[in-house]
């Protein structure tokens, strides 16, 4: 079974703090993703990575950065947390399109972040 | 740019009744299409996907979806709802050739099943 784990299920941080969210996958997937999920907006892509040390901005990268030093680990960083970053954060991983799994993404359980 | 519209943010069905969740997409070429389900306090789980071939796709838990190119739709159905189907459902699309196979999600539809 594919397993994607996230370092925390719940986090409470203060405005201005630097926040690290960690994601680890155990299936040797090339692609990894960070989304935020807000009611009525579905999932919106923050950043993704298709290889170690490679990253690309998604639809809403402002206020976030990422790090991928190892293939299995993808970190999301909130440089200076703000209240509008209170949200559910979901990590996902996948093989590239063209492989037999044709792009299916596997998701972690999510981290619910509250910024006070 | 691609976009996905799910009609109805909340749907209420009786146990045993038909479940119908609507999804329409906007794309210059037919994309790959996905339905994911999210149970309370969990991540998303793939229900089914359409890539090529037969336009009627069967997934897990008795769900199926039909790709209709002329209508740019990919509606999800289940003939008989079960209490365990209460969850939030997301339709998503992905370009056929895209680095990292990015998904674009709809806003989600929350399903409530009444006994």
């Amino acid at each position: 079974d594919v397993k994607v784990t996230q370092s925390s299920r719940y986090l409470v941080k203060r405005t201005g703090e630097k926040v690290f969210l960690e994601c680890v996958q155990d299936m040797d997937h090339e692609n990894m993703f960070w989304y935020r999920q807000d009611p009525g907006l579905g999932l919106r892509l923050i950043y993704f990575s298709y290889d170690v040390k490679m990253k690309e901005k998604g639809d809403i990268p402002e206020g976030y950065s990422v790090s991928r030093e190892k293939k299995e680990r993808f970190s999301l960083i909130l440089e200076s947390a703000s209240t509008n970053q209170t949200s559910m954060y979901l990590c996902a991983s996948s093989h590239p399109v063209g492989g037999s799994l044709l792009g299916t993404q596997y998701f972690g359980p999510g981290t619910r972040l509250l910024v006070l | 740019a691609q976009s996905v519209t799910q009609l109805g943010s909340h749907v209420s069905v009786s146990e045993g009744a038909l479940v119908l969740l609507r999804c329409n997409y906007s794309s210059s070429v037919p994309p790959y299409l996905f339905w994911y389900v999210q149970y309370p306090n969990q991540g998303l789980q793939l229900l089914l996907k359409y890539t090529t071939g037969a336009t009627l796709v069967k997934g897990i838990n008795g769900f199926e979806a039909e790709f209709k190119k002329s209508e740019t739709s990919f509606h999800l159905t289940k003939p008989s709802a079960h209490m365990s189907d209460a969850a939030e459902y997301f339709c998503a699309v992905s370009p056929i050739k895209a680095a990292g196979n990015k998904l674009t999600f709809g806003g989600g539809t929350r399903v409530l099943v009444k006994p």
Side-chain angles (χ1 to χ4, degrees), chain A residues 9-10 31 33 35 37 40-43 45 48 50 56-57 88 90 94-97 100-109, chain B residues 9 32 34 36 38 41-46 49 51-52 88 90 94-108:
Chain A
R9 293 300 303 272
Y10 301 94
N31 302 327
F33 308 82
Y35 296 91
Q37 181 181 8
L41 297 178
L43 278 73
L45 182 65
F48 71 102
Y50 51 88
E56 283 200 21
K57 294 179 180 179
M88 168 75 92
L90 290 163
S94 73
H95 286 296
V97 168
S100 60
L101 294 174
L102 286 175
T104 299
Q105 292 190 18
Y106 298 87
F107 285 81
Chain B
S9 59
Y32 293 149
F34 303 80
Y36 281 85
Q38 185 179 34
N41 298 314
Q42 294 186 25
L44 275 69
Q45 176 183 356
L46 182 69
K49 64 182 179 186
T51 53
T52 59
E88 190 160 19
F90 293 93
S94 174
I96 291 176
K97 292 181 181 179
N101 63 281
K102 290 189 293 182
L103 290 175
T104 300
F105 286 87

Short mmCIF file of all heavy atoms in Angstrom, two decimals, chain A residues 9-10 31 33 35 37 40-43 45 48 50 56-57 88 90 94-97 100-109, chain B residues 9 32 34 36 38 41-46 49 51-52 88 90 94-108:
data_model
loop_
_atom_site.label_atom_id
_atom_site.label_comp_id
_atom_site.label_asym_id
_atom_site.label_seq_id
_atom_site.Cartn_x
_atom_site.Cartn_y
_atom_site.Cartn_z
N ARG A 9 -1.05 16.21 12.62
CA ARG A 9 -2.45 16.29 12.22
C ARG A 9 -3.04 17.65 12.54
O ARG A 9 -3.87 18.16 11.81
CB ARG A 9 -3.27 15.21 12.93
CG ARG A 9 -2.95 13.79 12.52
CD ARG A 9 -3.17 13.55 11.03
NE ARG A 9 -4.51 13.84 10.58
CZ ARG A 9 -5.51 12.96 10.60
NH1 ARG A 9 -5.32 11.74 11.06
NH2 ARG A 9 -6.71 13.31 10.15
N TYR A 10 -2.57 18.24 13.65
CA TYR A 10 -3.06 19.55 14.08
C TYR A 10 -1.87 20.39 14.53
O TYR A 10 -0.96 19.89 15.19
CB TYR A 10 -4.06 19.42 15.24
CG TYR A 10 -5.26 18.58 14.91
CD1 TYR A 10 -5.29 17.23 15.21
CD2 TYR A 10 -6.38 19.15 14.29
CE1 TYR A 10 -6.39 16.45 14.89
CE2 TYR A 10 -7.48 18.38 13.96
CZ TYR A 10 -7.48 17.03 14.27
OH TYR A 10 -8.57 16.27 13.95
N ASN A 31 6.91 12.55 -8.21
CA ASN A 31 6.16 13.80 -8.03
C ASN A 31 5.62 13.92 -6.62
O ASN A 31 5.09 12.97 -6.05
CB ASN A 31 4.97 13.85 -9.00
CG ASN A 31 5.39 13.72 -10.44
OD1 ASN A 31 6.46 14.18 -10.83
ND2 ASN A 31 4.56 13.09 -11.24
N PHE A 33 3.37 16.96 -4.07
CA PHE A 33 2.51 18.14 -4.17
C PHE A 33 2.12 18.63 -2.78
O PHE A 33 1.94 17.83 -1.86
CB PHE A 33 1.21 17.79 -4.91
CG PHE A 33 1.41 17.12 -6.23
CD1 PHE A 33 1.64 15.76 -6.30
CD2 PHE A 33 1.34 17.85 -7.40
CE1 PHE A 33 1.83 15.13 -7.53
CE2 PHE A 33 1.52 17.23 -8.63
CZ PHE A 33 1.76 15.87 -8.70
N TYR A 35 -1.08 21.00 -1.29
CA TYR A 35 -2.34 21.69 -1.52
C TYR A 35 -2.82 22.30 -0.21
O TYR A 35 -2.52 21.81 0.87
CB TYR A 35 -3.43 20.71 -1.97
CG TYR A 35 -3.21 20.01 -3.28
CD1 TYR A 35 -2.55 18.77 -3.33
CD2 TYR A 35 -3.70 20.54 -4.46
CE1 TYR A 35 -2.37 18.10 -4.53
CE2 TYR A 35 -3.53 19.87 -5.67
CZ TYR A 35 -2.87 18.66 -5.69
OH TYR A 35 -2.71 18.00 -6.88
N GLN A 37 -6.69 23.18 1.45
CA GLN A 37 -8.10 22.88 1.25
C GLN A 37 -8.93 23.82 2.10
O GLN A 37 -8.76 23.87 3.33
CB GLN A 37 -8.40 21.43 1.64
CG GLN A 37 -9.85 21.04 1.44
CD GLN A 37 -10.15 19.62 1.86
OE1 GLN A 37 -9.30 18.92 2.44
NE2 GLN A 37 -11.34 19.15 1.57
N GLY A 40 -15.58 25.10 0.14
CA GLY A 40 -16.12 25.71 -1.06
C GLY A 40 -15.11 25.98 -2.16
O GLY A 40 -15.49 26.27 -3.29
N LEU A 41 -13.84 25.89 -1.83
CA LEU A 41 -12.79 26.17 -2.83
C LEU A 41 -12.10 24.89 -3.30
O LEU A 41 -11.25 24.96 -4.19
CB LEU A 41 -11.75 27.14 -2.25
CG LEU A 41 -12.27 28.52 -1.86
CD1 LEU A 41 -11.15 29.35 -1.26
CD2 LEU A 41 -12.89 29.23 -3.06
N GLY A 42 -12.42 23.78 -2.71
CA GLY A 42 -11.76 22.54 -3.08
C GLY A 42 -10.30 22.57 -2.67
O GLY A 42 -9.92 23.19 -1.67
N LEU A 43 -9.47 21.92 -3.45
CA LEU A 43 -8.03 21.90 -3.20
C LEU A 43 -7.34 22.82 -4.19
O LEU A 43 -7.63 22.79 -5.38
CB LEU A 43 -7.47 20.48 -3.37
CG LEU A 43 -7.63 19.53 -2.20
CD1 LEU A 43 -9.07 19.07 -2.04
CD2 LEU A 43 -6.69 18.33 -2.36
N LEU A 45 -3.50 24.09 -5.52
CA LEU A 45 -2.10 23.68 -5.53
C LEU A 45 -1.20 24.84 -5.12
O LEU A 45 -1.25 25.92 -5.71
CB LEU A 45 -1.74 23.18 -6.92
CG LEU A 45 -0.32 22.66 -7.11
CD1 LEU A 45 -0.09 21.40 -6.27
CD2 LEU A 45 -0.06 22.36 -8.58
N PHE A 48 4.58 22.18 -6.35
CA PHE A 48 4.84 20.77 -6.59
C PHE A 48 6.29 20.57 -7.01
O PHE A 48 6.99 21.53 -7.36
CB PHE A 48 3.86 20.18 -7.61
CG PHE A 48 4.07 20.64 -9.03
CD1 PHE A 48 4.71 19.82 -9.94
CD2 PHE A 48 3.58 21.86 -9.45
CE1 PHE A 48 4.86 20.22 -11.26
CE2 PHE A 48 3.73 22.28 -10.76
CZ PHE A 48 4.38 21.45 -11.67
N TYR A 50 8.79 17.66 -9.18
CA TYR A 50 8.83 16.45 -10.01
C TYR A 50 10.19 15.77 -9.95
O TYR A 50 10.46 14.84 -10.71
CB TYR A 50 8.41 16.74 -11.45
CG TYR A 50 9.12 17.90 -12.09
CD1 TYR A 50 10.32 17.71 -12.76
CD2 TYR A 50 8.60 19.19 -12.04
CE1 TYR A 50 10.98 18.76 -13.35
CE2 TYR A 50 9.25 20.25 -12.61
CZ TYR A 50 10.44 20.03 -13.27
OH TYR A 50 11.08 21.08 -13.85
N GLU A 56 8.16 23.70 -8.61
CA GLU A 56 7.44 24.65 -9.45
C GLU A 56 6.27 25.23 -8.67
O GLU A 56 5.65 24.53 -7.87
CB GLU A 56 6.91 23.96 -10.72
CG GLU A 56 7.96 23.72 -11.76
CD GLU A 56 7.38 23.50 -13.15
OE1 GLU A 56 6.24 23.91 -13.40
OE2 GLU A 56 8.09 22.91 -13.97
N LYS A 57 6.00 26.49 -8.93
CA LYS A 57 4.88 27.14 -8.27
C LYS A 57 3.56 26.58 -8.80
O LYS A 57 3.42 26.28 -9.98
CB LYS A 57 4.93 28.65 -8.51
CG LYS A 57 6.12 29.33 -7.86
CD LYS A 57 6.11 30.81 -8.16
CE LYS A 57 7.30 31.50 -7.50
NZ LYS A 57 7.36 32.95 -7.80
N MET A 88 -6.53 23.63 5.98
CA MET A 88 -6.09 22.24 5.96
C MET A 88 -5.06 22.12 4.85
O MET A 88 -5.30 22.56 3.72
CB MET A 88 -7.28 21.32 5.68
CG MET A 88 -6.88 19.89 5.36
SD MET A 88 -6.36 18.98 6.81
CE MET A 88 -7.94 18.26 7.25
N LEU A 90 -2.76 19.53 2.58
CA LEU A 90 -2.68 18.14 2.14
C LEU A 90 -1.46 17.95 1.25
O LEU A 90 -1.21 18.74 0.34
CB LEU A 90 -3.94 17.75 1.36
CG LEU A 90 -5.21 17.63 2.18
CD1 LEU A 90 -6.43 17.66 1.29
CD2 LEU A 90 -5.20 16.35 3.00
N SER A 94 2.88 11.06 -6.56
CA SER A 94 2.45 10.26 -7.72
C SER A 94 3.65 9.90 -8.59
O SER A 94 4.70 10.54 -8.52
CB SER A 94 1.42 11.01 -8.56
OG SER A 94 2.05 12.05 -9.30
N HIS A 95 3.42 8.88 -9.40
CA HIS A 95 4.34 8.62 -10.51
C HIS A 95 4.03 9.62 -11.61
O HIS A 95 2.93 10.16 -11.67
CB HIS A 95 4.15 7.20 -11.04
CG HIS A 95 4.69 6.15 -10.13
ND1 HIS A 95 6.03 6.03 -9.84
CD2 HIS A 95 4.07 5.16 -9.44
CE1 HIS A 95 6.20 5.02 -9.02
NE2 HIS A 95 5.04 4.48 -8.75
N PRO A 96 4.94 9.83 -12.53
CA PRO A 96 4.66 10.77 -13.61
C PRO A 96 3.62 10.22 -14.58
O PRO A 96 3.43 9.01 -14.66
CB PRO A 96 6.00 10.93 -14.34
CG PRO A 96 6.99 10.16 -13.59
CD PRO A 96 6.29 9.30 -12.59
N VAL A 97 2.97 11.11 -15.27
CA VAL A 97 2.07 10.73 -16.37
C VAL A 97 2.87 9.95 -17.39
O VAL A 97 4.01 10.26 -17.69
CB VAL A 97 1.47 11.98 -17.04
CG1 VAL A 97 0.78 11.62 -18.33
CG2 VAL A 97 0.50 12.64 -16.10
N SER A 100 2.32 3.41 -15.80
CA SER A 100 1.12 2.58 -15.75
C SER A 100 0.06 3.14 -14.82
O SER A 100 -1.11 2.88 -15.00
CB SER A 100 1.48 1.16 -15.31
OG SER A 100 2.06 1.20 -14.01
N LEU A 101 0.47 3.93 -13.86
CA LEU A 101 -0.50 4.46 -12.92
C LEU A 101 -1.10 5.77 -13.41
O LEU A 101 -1.96 6.34 -12.75
CB LEU A 101 0.15 4.65 -11.55
CG LEU A 101 0.58 3.34 -10.89
CD1 LEU A 101 1.34 3.60 -9.60
CD2 LEU A 101 -0.65 2.49 -10.58
N LEU A 102 -0.63 6.26 -14.53
CA LEU A 102 -1.24 7.40 -15.22
C LEU A 102 -1.64 8.53 -14.30
O LEU A 102 -2.78 9.00 -14.33
CB LEU A 102 -2.43 6.92 -16.05
CG LEU A 102 -2.04 6.15 -17.32
CD1 LEU A 102 -3.25 5.61 -18.02
CD2 LEU A 102 -1.21 7.01 -18.25
N GLY A 103 -0.74 8.94 -13.47
CA GLY A 103 -0.94 10.19 -12.76
C GLY A 103 -1.78 10.16 -11.52
O GLY A 103 -2.08 11.20 -10.97
N THR A 104 -2.17 9.00 -11.04
CA THR A 104 -2.96 8.96 -9.80
C THR A 104 -2.16 9.53 -8.65
O THR A 104 -1.02 9.16 -8.43
CB THR A 104 -3.35 7.51 -9.47
OG1 THR A 104 -4.14 6.99 -10.54
CG2 THR A 104 -4.13 7.44 -8.18
N GLN A 105 -2.78 10.45 -7.93
CA GLN A 105 -2.13 11.03 -6.76
C GLN A 105 -2.61 10.35 -5.49
O GLN A 105 -3.80 10.06 -5.35
CB GLN A 105 -2.40 12.54 -6.70
CG GLN A 105 -1.70 13.31 -7.82
CD GLN A 105 -1.77 14.80 -7.64
OE1 GLN A 105 -2.03 15.32 -6.57
NE2 GLN A 105 -1.49 15.53 -8.72
N TYR A 106 -1.68 10.14 -4.58
CA TYR A 106 -1.98 9.52 -3.29
C TYR A 106 -1.78 10.58 -2.22
O TYR A 106 -0.73 11.23 -2.17
CB TYR A 106 -1.07 8.32 -3.05
CG TYR A 106 -1.25 7.23 -4.08
CD1 TYR A 106 -0.55 7.26 -5.28
CD2 TYR A 106 -2.14 6.18 -3.87
CE1 TYR A 106 -0.73 6.28 -6.24
CE2 TYR A 106 -2.32 5.18 -4.81
CZ TYR A 106 -1.62 5.24 -6.00
OH TYR A 106 -1.80 4.27 -6.95
N PHE A 107 -2.77 10.67 -1.33
CA PHE A 107 -2.79 11.78 -0.39
C PHE A 107 -2.46 11.34 1.03
O PHE A 107 -2.81 10.24 1.47
CB PHE A 107 -4.17 12.43 -0.38
CG PHE A 107 -4.42 13.30 -1.59
CD1 PHE A 107 -4.81 12.74 -2.79
CD2 PHE A 107 -4.24 14.67 -1.51
CE1 PHE A 107 -5.02 13.53 -3.91
CE2 PHE A 107 -4.45 15.48 -2.62
CZ PHE A 107 -4.85 14.90 -3.82
N GLY A 108 -1.83 12.25 1.77
CA GLY A 108 -1.68 12.09 3.20
C GLY A 108 -2.95 12.48 3.92
O GLY A 108 -3.90 12.98 3.31
N PRO A 109 -2.99 12.31 5.26
CA PRO A 109 -4.20 12.58 6.03
C PRO A 109 -4.48 14.06 6.26
O PRO A 109 -5.57 14.42 6.68
CB PRO A 109 -3.94 11.87 7.36
CG PRO A 109 -2.46 11.88 7.48
CD PRO A 109 -1.92 11.75 6.09
N SER B 9 -22.85 22.24 -3.69
CA SER B 9 -21.81 22.02 -2.68
C SER B 9 -22.28 21.00 -1.65
O SER B 9 -21.45 20.41 -0.96
CB SER B 9 -21.46 23.33 -1.99
OG SER B 9 -22.60 23.89 -1.38
N TYR B 32 -7.33 13.95 -18.59
CA TYR B 32 -7.63 12.83 -17.71
C TYR B 32 -8.61 13.33 -16.65
O TYR B 32 -8.53 14.48 -16.23
CB TYR B 32 -6.37 12.32 -17.02
CG TYR B 32 -5.37 11.67 -17.92
CD1 TYR B 32 -4.00 11.73 -17.64
CD2 TYR B 32 -5.74 10.98 -19.06
CE1 TYR B 32 -3.06 11.13 -18.46
CE2 TYR B 32 -4.81 10.38 -19.89
CZ TYR B 32 -3.48 10.46 -19.58
OH TYR B 32 -2.55 9.88 -20.40
N PHE B 34 -10.80 12.51 -12.89
CA PHE B 34 -10.71 11.75 -11.64
C PHE B 34 -11.87 12.12 -10.72
O PHE B 34 -12.36 13.26 -10.74
CB PHE B 34 -9.42 12.09 -10.88
CG PHE B 34 -8.15 11.84 -11.64
CD1 PHE B 34 -7.70 12.75 -12.59
CD2 PHE B 34 -7.39 10.71 -11.40
CE1 PHE B 34 -6.51 12.54 -13.30
CE2 PHE B 34 -6.21 10.48 -12.09
CZ PHE B 34 -5.77 11.40 -13.04
N TYR B 36 -12.31 11.79 -6.52
CA TYR B 36 -11.73 11.44 -5.24
C TYR B 36 -12.81 11.59 -4.16
O TYR B 36 -13.71 12.41 -4.28
CB TYR B 36 -10.56 12.36 -4.89
CG TYR B 36 -9.26 12.05 -5.58
CD1 TYR B 36 -8.99 12.53 -6.86
CD2 TYR B 36 -8.29 11.27 -4.95
CE1 TYR B 36 -7.78 12.25 -7.48
CE2 TYR B 36 -7.08 10.98 -5.56
CZ TYR B 36 -6.84 11.48 -6.82
OH TYR B 36 -5.63 11.19 -7.44
N GLN B 38 -13.30 12.04 0.16
CA GLN B 38 -12.64 12.37 1.43
C GLN B 38 -13.60 12.07 2.57
O GLN B 38 -14.62 12.76 2.71
CB GLN B 38 -12.22 13.83 1.45
CG GLN B 38 -11.43 14.21 2.69
CD GLN B 38 -11.00 15.67 2.67
OE1 GLN B 38 -11.71 16.53 2.17
NE2 GLN B 38 -9.82 15.96 3.21
N ASN B 41 -11.96 13.71 8.48
CA ASN B 41 -10.64 13.68 9.10
C ASN B 41 -9.64 12.77 8.38
O ASN B 41 -8.73 12.21 9.02
CB ASN B 41 -10.74 13.25 10.57
CG ASN B 41 -11.57 14.24 11.37
OD1 ASN B 41 -11.39 15.45 11.26
ND2 ASN B 41 -12.49 13.73 12.16
N GLN B 42 -9.83 12.61 7.09
CA GLN B 42 -8.90 11.81 6.31
C GLN B 42 -8.45 12.57 5.06
O GLN B 42 -9.03 13.59 4.69
CB GLN B 42 -9.54 10.49 5.89
CG GLN B 42 -9.86 9.57 7.05
CD GLN B 42 -10.36 8.22 6.57
OE1 GLN B 42 -10.07 7.78 5.47
NE2 GLN B 42 -11.14 7.56 7.42
N GLY B 43 -7.41 12.04 4.43
CA GLY B 43 -6.99 12.58 3.14
C GLY B 43 -7.91 12.11 2.04
O GLY B 43 -8.92 11.46 2.28
N LEU B 44 -7.56 12.43 0.80
CA LEU B 44 -8.38 12.03 -0.34
C LEU B 44 -8.00 10.65 -0.82
O LEU B 44 -6.83 10.27 -0.80
CB LEU B 44 -8.20 13.03 -1.49
CG LEU B 44 -9.07 14.29 -1.45
CD1 LEU B 44 -8.66 15.19 -0.32
CD2 LEU B 44 -8.99 15.01 -2.79
N GLN B 45 -9.01 9.93 -1.29
CA GLN B 45 -8.80 8.58 -1.80
C GLN B 45 -9.40 8.49 -3.20
O GLN B 45 -10.51 8.98 -3.43
CB GLN B 45 -9.52 7.60 -0.86
CG GLN B 45 -9.49 6.15 -1.28
CD GLN B 45 -10.29 5.27 -0.34
OE1 GLN B 45 -10.80 5.71 0.69
NE2 GLN B 45 -10.41 4.00 -0.68
N LEU B 46 -8.67 7.88 -4.13
CA LEU B 46 -9.17 7.78 -5.49
C LEU B 46 -10.36 6.85 -5.57
O LEU B 46 -10.31 5.70 -5.12
CB LEU B 46 -8.06 7.27 -6.41
CG LEU B 46 -8.43 7.15 -7.88
CD1 LEU B 46 -8.62 8.53 -8.50
CD2 LEU B 46 -7.36 6.37 -8.64
N LYS B 49 -11.06 6.79 -12.24
CA LYS B 49 -10.46 7.75 -13.17
C LYS B 49 -10.73 7.31 -14.60
O LYS B 49 -10.91 6.13 -14.88
CB LYS B 49 -8.96 7.85 -12.93
CG LYS B 49 -8.18 6.57 -13.21
CD LYS B 49 -6.70 6.78 -12.88
CE LYS B 49 -5.92 5.50 -13.13
NZ LYS B 49 -4.51 5.63 -12.70
N THR B 51 -8.97 7.72 -18.36
CA THR B 51 -7.80 8.15 -19.12
C THR B 51 -8.07 7.96 -20.61
O THR B 51 -8.10 8.92 -21.36
CB THR B 51 -6.55 7.37 -18.69
OG1 THR B 51 -6.81 5.96 -18.76
CG2 THR B 51 -6.17 7.72 -17.26
N THR B 52 -8.26 6.75 -21.05
CA THR B 52 -8.62 6.48 -22.44
C THR B 52 -9.54 5.27 -22.48
O THR B 52 -9.75 4.60 -21.47
CB THR B 52 -7.38 6.15 -23.30
OG1 THR B 52 -6.74 5.00 -22.73
CG2 THR B 52 -6.40 7.29 -23.35
N GLU B 88 -17.13 13.82 1.44
CA GLU B 88 -17.03 14.89 0.45
C GLU B 88 -16.35 14.31 -0.80
O GLU B 88 -15.38 13.55 -0.70
CB GLU B 88 -16.24 16.08 0.99
CG GLU B 88 -16.32 17.29 0.09
CD GLU B 88 -15.99 18.60 0.78
OE1 GLU B 88 -15.35 18.58 1.85
OE2 GLU B 88 -16.36 19.68 0.23
N PHE B 90 -14.71 14.98 -4.68
CA PHE B 90 -14.03 15.97 -5.50
C PHE B 90 -13.80 15.42 -6.91
O PHE B 90 -13.27 14.32 -7.07
CB PHE B 90 -12.67 16.34 -4.90
CG PHE B 90 -12.76 17.07 -3.60
CD1 PHE B 90 -12.72 16.37 -2.41
CD2 PHE B 90 -12.89 18.45 -3.57
CE1 PHE B 90 -12.80 17.03 -1.19
CE2 PHE B 90 -12.97 19.12 -2.36
CZ PHE B 90 -12.93 18.41 -1.18
N SER B 94 -6.67 16.55 -15.18
CA SER B 94 -5.24 16.70 -15.38
C SER B 94 -4.94 16.71 -16.87
O SER B 94 -5.49 15.89 -17.60
CB SER B 94 -4.51 15.54 -14.71
OG SER B 94 -3.13 15.57 -14.99
N PRO B 95 -4.11 17.62 -17.33
CA PRO B 95 -3.73 17.59 -18.74
C PRO B 95 -3.04 16.27 -19.07
O PRO B 95 -2.35 15.70 -18.23
CB PRO B 95 -2.75 18.75 -18.87
CG PRO B 95 -2.96 19.59 -17.68
CD PRO B 95 -3.44 18.68 -16.60
N ILE B 96 -3.24 15.81 -20.28
CA ILE B 96 -2.67 14.52 -20.66
C ILE B 96 -1.15 14.57 -20.66
O ILE B 96 -0.47 13.62 -20.29
CB ILE B 96 -3.21 14.09 -22.03
CG1 ILE B 96 -4.70 13.77 -21.89
CG2 ILE B 96 -2.46 12.89 -22.57
CD1 ILE B 96 -5.38 13.43 -23.19
N LYS B 97 -0.61 15.67 -21.09
CA LYS B 97 0.84 15.79 -21.08
C LYS B 97 1.21 17.02 -20.27
O LYS B 97 1.06 18.13 -20.74
CB LYS B 97 1.38 15.92 -22.50
CG LYS B 97 1.21 14.67 -23.31
CD LYS B 97 1.79 14.85 -24.70
CE LYS B 97 1.59 13.58 -25.51
NZ LYS B 97 2.12 13.72 -26.88
N ALA B 98 1.61 16.80 -19.05
CA ALA B 98 1.97 17.93 -18.21
C ALA B 98 3.02 17.47 -17.21
O ALA B 98 2.87 16.43 -16.59
CB ALA B 98 0.76 18.47 -17.47
N ALA B 99 4.02 18.26 -17.05
CA ALA B 99 5.04 17.93 -16.07
C ALA B 99 4.41 17.82 -14.69
O ALA B 99 3.72 18.72 -14.26
CB ALA B 99 6.12 19.02 -16.06
N GLY B 100 4.63 16.71 -14.04
CA GLY B 100 4.10 16.55 -12.70
C GLY B 100 2.63 16.22 -12.61
O GLY B 100 2.09 16.15 -11.53
N ASN B 101 1.98 16.00 -13.73
CA ASN B 101 0.55 15.68 -13.78
C ASN B 101 -0.27 16.44 -12.76
O ASN B 101 -0.96 15.88 -11.92
CB ASN B 101 0.29 14.17 -13.68
CG ASN B 101 0.73 13.53 -12.36
OD1 ASN B 101 1.89 13.26 -12.14
ND2 ASN B 101 -0.22 13.32 -11.48
N LYS B 102 -0.22 17.76 -12.86
CA LYS B 102 -0.98 18.58 -11.93
C LYS B 102 -2.47 18.34 -12.06
O LYS B 102 -3.00 18.20 -13.15
CB LYS B 102 -0.69 20.06 -12.20
CG LYS B 102 0.71 20.51 -11.84
CD LYS B 102 0.84 22.00 -11.93
CE LYS B 102 0.73 22.47 -13.36
NZ LYS B 102 0.90 23.95 -13.45
N LEU B 103 -3.13 18.31 -10.92
CA LEU B 103 -4.58 18.18 -10.88
C LEU B 103 -5.22 19.54 -10.60
O LEU B 103 -4.72 20.29 -9.77
CB LEU B 103 -5.01 17.21 -9.79
CG LEU B 103 -4.71 15.72 -10.01
CD1 LEU B 103 -5.09 14.92 -8.77
CD2 LEU B 103 -5.45 15.19 -11.22
N THR B 104 -6.33 19.79 -11.28
CA THR B 104 -7.18 20.93 -10.95
C THR B 104 -8.47 20.37 -10.38
O THR B 104 -9.12 19.54 -11.03
CB THR B 104 -7.47 21.78 -12.19
OG1 THR B 104 -6.24 22.27 -12.72
CG2 THR B 104 -8.37 22.95 -11.84
N PHE B 105 -8.83 20.80 -9.18
CA PHE B 105 -9.98 20.26 -8.46
C PHE B 105 -11.19 21.17 -8.57
O PHE B 105 -11.07 22.40 -8.64
CB PHE B 105 -9.65 20.08 -6.98
CG PHE B 105 -8.75 18.91 -6.69
CD1 PHE B 105 -7.38 19.05 -6.75
CD2 PHE B 105 -9.28 17.67 -6.35
CE1 PHE B 105 -6.54 17.97 -6.48
CE2 PHE B 105 -8.45 16.60 -6.08
CZ PHE B 105 -7.08 16.74 -6.15
N GLY B 106 -12.36 20.54 -8.51
CA GLY B 106 -13.58 21.28 -8.30
C GLY B 106 -13.73 21.64 -6.84
O GLY B 106 -12.91 21.25 -6.00
N GLY B 107 -14.79 22.37 -6.52
CA GLY B 107 -14.99 22.86 -5.17
C GLY B 107 -15.46 21.81 -4.17
O GLY B 107 -15.49 22.06 -2.97
N GLY B 108 -15.84 20.65 -4.68
CA GLY B 108 -16.27 19.58 -3.78
C GLY B 108 -17.77 19.56 -3.56
O GLY B 108 -18.44 20.60 -3.60
#
